[in-house]
Amino acid sequence: MDAFRAWLGQLQFDGVWQTVVLVAASLLCITFHETCHGWAAYLLGDPTAKRMGRLTLNPFKHVDLAGLIMMAIFRFGWAKPVPVDMRNFKNPKRGMALTALAGPVSNLMLAVLLLLGARITIAHYVDTAFCIALLNFLARTAYMSVGLGLFNLIPISPLDGSKVLFAFLPDRA
C-alpha cells in the first residue's frame, strides 16, 4: 500500500486540474454571454430564443462541443449562437446592436462579480486547498470573461462588434 501511495504522490495532476478549471470557466462565461443575448432580444421584442429554449443558464443549450474542445486545447473556441430574428424589433438596427452588445457587457459584469467574490474570499482567507482553488477559479474565470467580452467587441463578422458597427452604418453599406 505504501508503494501505491508513493506512486500516487509523484503523479502530477496540475495539468488535469487546470483543464477542469478552464472547462468550468468556459462553460460559465459562454453560457452567461449567450443567455444575455437571448434575454436582451426577448426584452426588445424577439421571442425566438425563448421559443427555442435558449433563455436558460443550462450550458448544454449553449455550448458547441467542438468549440469547447478547442477552448480546452487551444484556448480559443465558440458557442452556439442564440437565434435572433431582428424583424421582431421595433427598430431592427438598434435592437440588433443592443442584443449584440448584451453579450460582451454581460462578460464584463460577470468579471466584476467574480473579482468581488475573489475579494470576499481573500478577506476571509483561510490557507486551505479549497480557498486556493476557489481563488484560482474566480481569477481565471474573470480573466477569461474579460477576454471573451473584449474579443467579441472586435468589429469583424460574426463577432458581436460587427453587429454594433452595422447599426452606425447606412443601410446600403
Side-chain angles (χ1 to χ4, degrees):
M1 188 60 145
D2 289 331
F4 177 72
R5 283 187 189 152
W7 175 79
L8 195 59
Q10 60 91 28
L11 292 177
Q12 298 295 320
F13 289 106
D14 190 51
V16 173
W17 173 248
Q18 295 305 323
T19 302
V20 168
V21 168
L22 177 71
V23 169
S26 299
L27 289 172
L28 178 61
C29 293
I30 289 169
T31 300
F32 196 68
H33 179 103
E34 293 301 328
T35 301
C36 286
H37 280 311
W39 273 109
Y42 182 71
L43 292 174
L44 291 167
D46 179 24
T48 307
K50 182 176 175 77
R51 279 197 313 256
M52 297 183 77
R54 300 291 300 277
L55 292 185
T56 178
L57 290 173
N58 178 356
F60 296 112
K61 297 283 188 171
H62 300 288
V63 173
D64 180 288
L65 185 58
L68 185 62
I69 291 170
M70 293 291 287
M71 183 70 97
I73 296 171
F74 299 109
R75 309 300 193 256
F76 181 83
W78 57 89
K80 293 182 212 170
V82 168
V84 175
D85 187 350
M86 62 191 284
R87 295 174 297 181
N88 291 320
F89 298 140
K90 289 178 183 157
N91 181 337
K93 284 175 76 172
R94 181 179 155 273
M96 197 63 215
L98 290 172
T99 298
L101 205 53
V105 168
S106 72
N107 283 120
L108 298 177
M109 289 177 13
L110 178 62
V112 168
L113 290 174
L114 291 164
L115 292 174
L116 180 62
R119 179 65 183 111
I120 291 168
T121 302
I122 290 170
H124 302 289
Y125 185 77
V126 179
D127 192 17
T128 64
F130 175 77
C131 282
I132 293 168
L134 179 61
L135 283 171
N136 182 28
F137 174 75
L138 293 171
R140 286 180 177 268
T141 307
Y143 180 77
M144 178 183 288
S145 194
V146 168
L148 180 64
L150 293 177
F151 178 76
N152 271 282
L153 286 174
I154 297 172
I156 298 172
S157 189
L159 299 176
D160 297 328
S162 68
K163 295 169 184 78
V164 174
L165 176 65
F166 291 151
F168 295 102
L169 296 176
D171 288 337
R172 68 182 194 285

